[in-house]
Amino acid sequence: MSPERLVPHNPATGQPLDPVDCTTPDAVREVVARARTAQRAWAATPAGERAQKIRAVAQAIGAQADALARSICDEMGKPIREARAEARSIAARVESFITAADQALADDEGVENGIAMRVRWRPLGVVGVIAPWNYPVATPSNLLLSALLTGNAAVFKPSEFTPHTGALLHRLYSETLPEGLVGLVQGAGDVGAALVASDVDMIAFTGSIATGQAIMRTAAASMKRLVLELGGKDPMLVLPGADLQAAARHAADEALRNAGQVCVSVERIIVHADVADEFTRRVADLVRAVKPGDPRDEATSFGPMASARQRDLVLEQLADARRHGATFVVEGQAQGPGYYLTPTVVTDLKPEMTLVRDETFGPVVAIQVARDVDEAVALANDTRYGLGASVWGPPGPQLDAVADRIEAGMVGVNRGLSTAAGGPWVGWKMSGLGYTRSVAGMRHFLQPQSQARRAG
């Protein structure tokens, strides 16, 4: 990629797609300035009217679900059915965002010692949204909806790997909302850095720890508000008495979904020794049945990785695991054309392996064995990450107690993690700073102001 142009590639073929011009630093500042001007009128618009316009955006995205899906498929290799479901998910969740925003914007009131206190919740101003490539419609929309419904403007930078998808998504927002309210900037890390350094009031970012730390350093100069989701190394604990077939199916599905390129992928499976052999056999049987295919084919459920670089990072982790004595029950292979990597099942893992320590973000089912529940919990928590997790075993208070001991922001019990019923999307440790969704998540996009007066 040159500083002036992005040249994305089709992961299924390795062939270049149409280039996209990058935004200059001066242009970044101009986009932010336009957003700030538009935000003043938007903040003055009643919340109900803002919600109606956001519903129209969600409807427009749904109407263009097929076009968005084709773009996602071509730029990052997601199978077409999954890509279409991603685009359609915005309409399905918009009402929950509206409800959460309404509650977040409501004043908090109380009286103590004769003093009446009212807390007003005000928009911050302009939010910079820096999005990842793995969910190029859903992830930025989660952040854009939160910003806009709470009265903010937004400037959106798509990933440099999915610029066409980002441009189409931006067009659907900008054609429906007031001019300048949602700006678009295109480019790689230098453009993201320019956005962070610009006159925005908040940065909402999804990506790596290293980039998140760089954003924090720059944002500190002007004390910008930050919401950062910085990846995970999600454990799945499988204990005696668990439904092993259901657990194996979850492990295979969630380790391989989107070719393993999901922030809450199952990245470490920690199995009690009493059920390890049976569980591993069941998982291996399921994984062997997974076949890669053309992501544009409606029958395909497993496509290529998003880039050669990402595939190579996974191959490096697997090579390191081999050097340290891992056992490959199912051995993945790089295939071409494109950036395909067939699934791997690997056991006999050691703490020093990069496969155990670092985020993998690829189609690997990594299995560790624990002698008892205490060791399983200790292995699950022995990581700098803490985004999601799941625990599998006989339902009841004992399994709930295991879930309570897991150091992760979101934990599923005999199921994948869920943010239903108003739960926040939240990380622990180095997996995040702040959180989104839910009423509390919406309030990250707002500034509280306390107003005190004599009661009565």
Side-chain angles (χ1 to χ4, degrees):
M1 295 179 184
S2 74
E4 296 80 24
R5 279 194 152 185
L6 300 173
V7 184
H9 286 70
N10 185 322
T13 65
Q15 296 301 306
L17 301 169
D18 291 341
V20 173
D21 290 337
C22 294
T23 308
T24 66
D26 285 344
V28 170
R29 290 188 287 271
E30 291 170 4
V31 171
V32 171
R34 287 196 294 271
R36 188 166 299 284
T37 298
Q39 188 270 337
R40 298 185 185 98
W42 181 249
T45 302
E49 292 183 26
R50 293 200 301 256
Q52 283 298 99
K53 291 182 181 296
I54 295 301
R55 288 187 179 99
V57 171
Q59 185 177 22
I61 293 172
Q64 290 295 316
D66 286 339
L68 286 163
R70 289 191 296 272
S71 184
I72 295 169
C73 183
D74 288 348
E75 287 194 304
M76 64 81 50
K78 184 174 295 182
I80 191 72
R81 285 182 298 154
E82 291 183 33
R84 190 180 298 114
E86 178 185 345
R88 289 175 175 170
S89 70
I90 309 307
R93 68 180 58 161
V94 68
E95 291 302 325
S96 67
F97 276 80
I98 290 170
T99 298
D102 285 345
Q103 295 177 31
L105 287 162
D107 293 351
D108 296 332
E109 297 182 312
V111 177
E112 186 175 5
N113 297 326
I115 302 297
M117 177 65 70
R118 179 171 66 170
V119 179
R120 306 295 305 275
W121 293 89
R122 304 283 181 79
L124 288 171
V126 181
V127 179
V129 173
I130 303 176
W133 46 260
N134 61 328
Y135 281 85
V137 170
T139 298
S141 287
N142 289 339
L143 301 172
L144 290 168
L145 294 178
S146 299
L148 294 166
L149 284 166
T150 49
N152 299 286
V155 176
F156 168 39
K157 191 198 90 65
S159 166
E160 59 267 36
F161 294 101
T162 54
H164 295 288
T165 305
L168 175 54
L169 181 66
H170 170 260
R171 179 169 64 80
L172 297 172
Y173 277 87
S174 63
E175 288 180 348
T176 310
L177 297 174
E179 184 178 357
L181 185 67
V182 180
L184 176 70
V185 296
Q186 293 274 22
D190 57 336
V191 176
L195 180 58
V196 175
S198 73
D199 184 34
V200 297
D201 302 283
M202 173 178 174
I203 293 292
F205 167 77
T206 303
S208 70
I209 288 176
T211 302
Q213 291 170 324
I215 288 171
M216 291 181 75
R217 286 190 290 269
T218 301
S222 55
M223 300 298 290
K224 289 181 170 68
R225 182 78 58 85
L226 298 175
V227 170
L228 309 175
E229 184 201 310
L230 305 180
K233 193 69 182 170
D234 289 15
M236 173 184 177
L237 278 64
V238 183
L239 307 177
D243 181 335
L244 292 186
Q245 189 58 28
R249 170 55 65 188
H250 177 78
D253 287 348
E254 293 306 304
L256 305 183
R257 180 164 57 98
N258 200 23
Q261 300 166 123
V262 184
C263 55
V264 289
S265 287
V266 170
E267 293 224 356
R268 296 177 298 140
I269 303 171
I270 302 165
V271 189
H272 193 287
D274 291 352
V275 295
D277 289 346
E278 177 66 13
F279 175 83
T280 301
R281 182 189 64 78
R282 289 174 182 262
V283 168
D285 287 345
L286 292 169
V287 170
R288 288 189 185 99
V290 174
K291 304 300 180 187
D294 180 352
R296 280 283 193 126
D297 189 330
E298 294 283 348
T300 295
S301 61
F302 183 85
M305 299 196 67
S307 68
R309 177 179 178 275
Q310 189 62 36
R311 183 183 65 181
D312 290 346
L313 288 173
V314 177
L315 289 170
E316 288 171 12
Q317 286 193 358
L318 294 173
D320 175 77
R322 187 186 300 280
R323 287 192 296 270
H324 286 89
T327 298
F328 285 72
V329 180
V330 179
E331 188 160 358
Q333 301 289 334
Q335 296 181 351
Y339 314 134
Y340 286 89
L341 178 61
T342 60
T344 292
V345 178
V346 60
T347 62
D348 295 325
L349 305 182
K350 298 178 177 65
E352 62 268 24
M353 294 176 180
T354 56
L355 187 65
V356 174
R357 296 198 318 266
D358 300 334
E359 188 171 36
T360 298
F361 231 58
V364 178
V365 182
I367 300 174
Q368 296 173 270
V369 177
R371 291 164 296 183
D372 53 36
V373 173
D374 287 342
E375 184 181 28
V377 172
L379 288 171
N381 291 338
D382 185 20
T383 175
R384 60 179 177 164
Y385 295 98
L387 189 57
S390 64
V391 296
W392 298 73
Q398 289 184 325
L399 190 62
D400 292 342
V402 173
D404 287 344
R405 296 169 64 189
I406 303 301
E407 295 169 354
M410 301 172 286
V411 182
V413 180
N414 283 329
R415 56 158 297 149
L417 60 90
S418 174
T419 58
W425 186 267
V426 55
W428 196 323
K429 302 180 184 178
M430 296 187 79
S431 280
L433 179 70
Y435 39 90
T436 57
R437 308 186 195 180
S438 76
V439 176
M442 285 287 178
R443 283 187 165 174
H444 277 299
F445 295 79
L446 294 165
Q447 174 63 49
Q449 182 188 64
S450 297
Q451 299 179 357
R453 55 182 57 81
R454 189 177 299 279

